[in-house]
């Protein structure tokens, strides 16, 4: 999975101007994935990160939300949590918002 430095906000996506991959420290593949994710969100093919977080974070009582990955082209979000020193990964289908997998307690 690649960590994508994308900010997806509200019902749509808010995009800053895209800098060349070398200037951002991203590789060309990460940059392509980031642009694909932004486009998929704008076109309504996947849900925005804020919507995924709204659905999943409240279910993780007692765990600290520490971030996410978004795998493209599958559109699977992986939300990462920390509880009692253990990392928990929750995989979410970006199209439906449904949890499709989880590791940890």
């Amino acid at each position: 999975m690649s960590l994508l430095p994308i900010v997806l906000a509200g019902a749509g996506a808010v995009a800053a101007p895209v800098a060349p991959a070398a200037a951002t420290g991203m590789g060309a593949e990460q940059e392509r994935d980031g642009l694909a994710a932004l486009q998929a969100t704008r076109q309504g093919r996947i849900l925005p990160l804020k919507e995924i977080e709204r659905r999943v974070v409240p279910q993780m009582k007692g765990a600290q939300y520490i971030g996410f990955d978004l795998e493209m082209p599958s559109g699977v979000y992986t939300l990462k949590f920390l509880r009692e020193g253990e990392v928990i990964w929750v995989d979410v289908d970006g199209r439906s918002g449904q949890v499709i997998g989880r590791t940890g307690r």
Side-chain angles (χ1 to χ4, degrees):
M1 267 182 238
S2 62
L3 180 62
L4 300 176
I6 298 173
V7 177
L8 303 175
V14 177
V18 177
T24 63
M26 288 191 301
E29 183 177 346
Q30 284 180 310
E31 185 175 351
R32 276 191 309 273
D33 283 354
L35 292 173
L38 182 61
Q39 183 177 28
T41 302
R42 284 183 173 168
Q43 294 173 349
R45 291 185 283 128
I46 62 172
L47 295 168
L49 173 61
K50 291 294 184 193
E51 178 62 20
I52 297 296
E53 291 171 338
R54 185 187 70 74
R55 294 177 184 204
V56 176
V57 172
Q59 297 176 25
M60 299 299 294
K61 303 238 186 285
Q64 177 186 359
Y65 177 51
I66 57 176
F68 77 100
D69 289 337
L70 174 58
E71 183 68 32
M72 290 305 290
S74 68
V76 173
Y77 288 90
T78 300
L79 278 63
K80 298 176 185 180
F81 296 87
L82 185 63
R83 181 187 291 138
E84 297 176 4
E86 183 178 352
V87 177
I88 303 164
W89 291 271
V90 179
D91 294 328
V92 182
D93 182 321
R95 292 175 302 274
S96 68
Q98 297 296 310
V99 173
I100 56 175
R102 178 179 166 156
T103 60
R105 334 179 253 132

